[in-house]
Amino acid sequence: MKAVILAGGLGTRISEETGLKPKPMIEVGGKPILWHIMKIYAAHGVNDFVICCGYKGYVIKEYFANYFLHMSDVTFDMVGNTMEVHHRKAEPWRVTLIDTGEDTMTGGRLKRVAPYVRDEELFCFTYGDGVADLNITELIAFHKSQKVKATLTATFPPGRFGALDMQGDKVRSFQEKPKGDGAMINGGFFVLSPSVIDYIADDASVWEREPLERLAAEGQLAAFKHGGFWQPMDTLRDKTHLEELWASGRAPWKVWE
C-alpha cells in the first residue's frame, strides 16, 4: 500500500524554521518530522511513499538523495576521492518525490499525484507535520469495514482544527476551523479510494473544504476515532514540546523499534 504525504506548504506559523527548509524537514530529535511520520507508517508495513513537494522541495529531494550520509557513519578519502559508508541503516522504503507546485492547495496537491495512486485499491494520505501513536493497521481495516470512499482519523486537539459532526462512525458534516470547543477534529491520517480524486477540481481546491464536505454529505466519509496521542507541529512551541517528548525517551508516537 502507498502513503501520500503533503510536504509542500509554507509553514508560516513556524517561520523561525521554515525560512531555510520546508516544514516537514524541521527536525525533532535530529530527524525531520517527515521521517517520523514515515516510520509510523513503516511500522505497519506501509513502505511505499509519494511525497507532495512544493516550497523548497529540493531540500527534501537532497535529503533522500543523500539518505545514507544522514543516517550512517562515513569515511571520506580525500586523496583517493572515495567515500565508504559504515553500518548502512537502510529503510525498506520506496520514495517518490513529486513537485506539486509552490502555491497549490491541499486538494490540488493530491490531484497532481493521481497517476501514482489511480491503480491502487486504496491508499493512505496525511499531512507532513503531525505525529500520533496511531494503529495504521486498525485504521485500514476500519476503512475497509465501512465501505466508504474516505476515512479520516478523528481525535481530540491540543488546539482548534476542523470539527466533525458524527453519527456513529459516519461523518455527517465537516466544518474547517469552527468556533466553539469540545468536538473531535480532523487529525489527518486518511485512508482513501482513488475515486475521491474526482471530487477535486484543480490546484486551488482545498481538500478540507468542498471535497470532504461533499463526501460527508454523501455518507462517504467515515471517522476512525483515536483517543491516544496526536500532535501537529504548527508553531515553535509545538516543536519544543515534541523535542522534549523525544528527549525523554518516551515519545508516544515512536511505535517502531
Side-chain angles (χ1 to χ4, degrees), residues 142-154 163-174 184 212-225:
F142 174 83
H143 171 79
K144 291 179 177 178
S145 73
Q146 295 299 300
K147 295 179 168 44
V148 293
K149 293 180 180 178
T151 295
L152 56 72
T153 296
L164 312 174
D165 174 21
M166 295 191 297
Q167 182 176 339
D169 290 318
K170 293 290 179 64
V171 179
R172 295 305 179 191
S173 69
F174 185 99
M184 296 188 86
L212 282 187
E213 289 166 2
R214 278 186 58 200
L215 286 162
E218 294 174 9
Q220 289 293 327
L221 180 59
F224 180 77
K225 297 170 185 172

Side-chain angles (χ1 to χ4, degrees), residues 92-105:
W93 295 347
R94 176 181 171 86
V95 184
T96 303
L97 302 166
I98 307 299
D99 183 359
T100 56
E102 284 214 5
D103 301 319
T104 309
M105 295 292 102

Side-chain angles (χ1 to χ4, degrees), residues 1-4 41 46 110 120-126 134-154 186-196 207 212 215 220-224:
M1 184 177 294
K2 293 183 178 181
V4 177
Y41 278 107
V46 179
L110 177 55
E120 302 295 311
E121 176 189 358
L122 50 90
F123 63 95
C124 296
F125 177 55
T126 198
L134 181 65
N135 190 318
I136 302 292
T137 302
E138 290 183 1
L139 168 62
I140 294 168
F142 174 83
H143 171 79
K144 291 179 177 178
S145 73
Q146 295 299 300
K147 295 179 168 44
V148 293
K149 293 180 180 178
T151 295
L152 56 72
T153 296
N186 163 32
F189 293 97
F190 299 87
V191 181
L192 306 174
S193 161
S195 63
V196 303
W207 169 245
L212 282 187
L215 286 162
Q220 289 293 327
L221 180 59
F224 180 77

Side-chain angles (χ1 to χ4, degrees), residues 38-165:
M38 295 168 73
K39 289 287 283 187
I40 293 169
Y41 278 107
H44 293 274
V46 179
N47 291 301
D48 195 341
F49 299 97
V50 178
I51 311 297
C52 301
C53 300
Y55 172 71
K56 295 190 181 296
Y58 64 87
V59 177
I60 301 175
K61 292 178 181 178
E62 289 173 356
Y63 176 78
F64 286 105
N66 297 299
Y67 191 77
F68 283 133
L69 288 179
H70 292 285
M71 300 298 293
S72 307
D73 297 329
V74 296
T75 296
F76 295 98
D77 184 336
M78 301 302 186
V79 176
N81 192 27
T82 62
M83 179 184 75
E84 180 184 359
V85 178
H86 309 283
H87 311 298
R88 293 193 174 200
K89 299 174 183 176
E91 305 286 352
W93 295 347
R94 176 181 171 86
V95 184
T96 303
L97 302 166
I98 307 299
D99 183 359
T100 56
E102 284 214 5
D103 301 319
T104 309
M105 295 292 102
T106 49
R109 293 190 191 282
L110 177 55
K111 192 175 184 70
R112 288 232 198 165
V113 301
Y116 299 90
V117 296
R118 277 289 189 195
D119 296 331
E120 302 295 311
E121 176 189 358
L122 50 90
F123 63 95
C124 296
F125 177 55
T126 198
Y127 307 109
D129 62 354
V131 290
D133 59 348
L134 181 65
N135 190 318
I136 302 292
T137 302
E138 290 183 1
L139 168 62
I140 294 168
F142 174 83
H143 171 79
K144 291 179 177 178
S145 73
Q146 295 299 300
K147 295 179 168 44
V148 293
K149 293 180 180 178
T151 295
L152 56 72
T153 296
T155 188
F156 291 103
R160 297 299 302 147
F161 293 83
L164 312 174
D165 174 21

